[in-house]
Amino acid sequence: LNIVGTDDGTSWWALKGRCSGLGMRNITIDFSPKGGPSDATGRWAPGETITWPDGNMWALLAAPTRAFLLDAADDHTGVFFDPHHFKVGTFRGMRFIAEDPPHVLKMVGSDDGTFWFLEGFCTGPKMTSIHFDFSPKGGPKELVGK
């Protein structure tokens, strides 16, 4: 289980976790990269929410809002969209990119409503060359963007 997210819309993070239990409804995430617990287990209510032990609740967002399309402070992390797959009012064509640790990129995206996860890295002056391996989803092994 891979999560890419932001708390403030400018700093992006990537977390790992796992699902377990009946119906895979126990979601355990390592929040230590954000300064939290390494094994927080929340309860997933399918199609609705994940409720965490501290009382925090994440609600499922059925479609992106206009806030997703705001410019990020960093030029290679944030929310992007691929015009070849993008469909207004859905997550199709959306790409969420986080950098964690430095120069290591993680992307969660969707072309058709099903989400995938890719890893990559950034190089060059001011880290403006972005490299991703799209081979897990049938694309090129090393796609470089700027």
Side-chain angles (χ1 to χ4, degrees), residues 12-146:
W12 289 79
W13 39 260
L15 305 174
K16 290 195 175 286
R18 64 187 183 283
C19 303
S20 64
L22 183 64
M24 304 304 273
R25 292 186 180 177
N26 296 324
I27 310 291
T28 303
I29 303 295
D30 177 2
F31 284 97
S32 62
K34 292 177 47 75
S38 62
D39 62 349
T41 299
R43 183 79 175 148
W44 176 48
E48 295 180 24
T49 60
I50 300 174
T51 304
W52 300 99
D54 65 359
N56 194 358
M57 183 171 44
W58 295 357
L60 178 67
L61 186 62
T65 65
R66 292 187 58 76
F68 277 95
L69 302 177
L70 297 176
D71 290 333
D74 195 327
D75 60 358
H76 62 276
T77 62
V79 180
F80 302 87
F81 69 94
D82 179 340
H84 298 290
H85 299 282
F86 185 65
K87 183 176 178 187
V88 175
T90 74
F91 287 102
R92 291 178 181 190
M94 304 291 292
R95 279 81 169 108
F96 304 86
I97 302 175
E99 180 179 12
D100 184 42
H103 316 303
V104 176
L105 303 176
K106 292 159 173 111
M107 181 189 322
V108 173
S110 173
D111 295 333
D112 57 8
T114 301
F115 286 90
W116 39 258
F117 177 78
L118 302 174
E119 294 189 276
F121 58 94
C122 52
T123 62
K126 298 186 180 180
M127 298 295 131
T128 55
S129 291
I130 309 301
H131 306 253
F132 273 101
D133 176 3
F134 278 82
S135 63
K137 58 183 281 322
K141 178 123 178 94
E142 186 171 318
L143 187 62
V144 181
K146 294 192 181 246

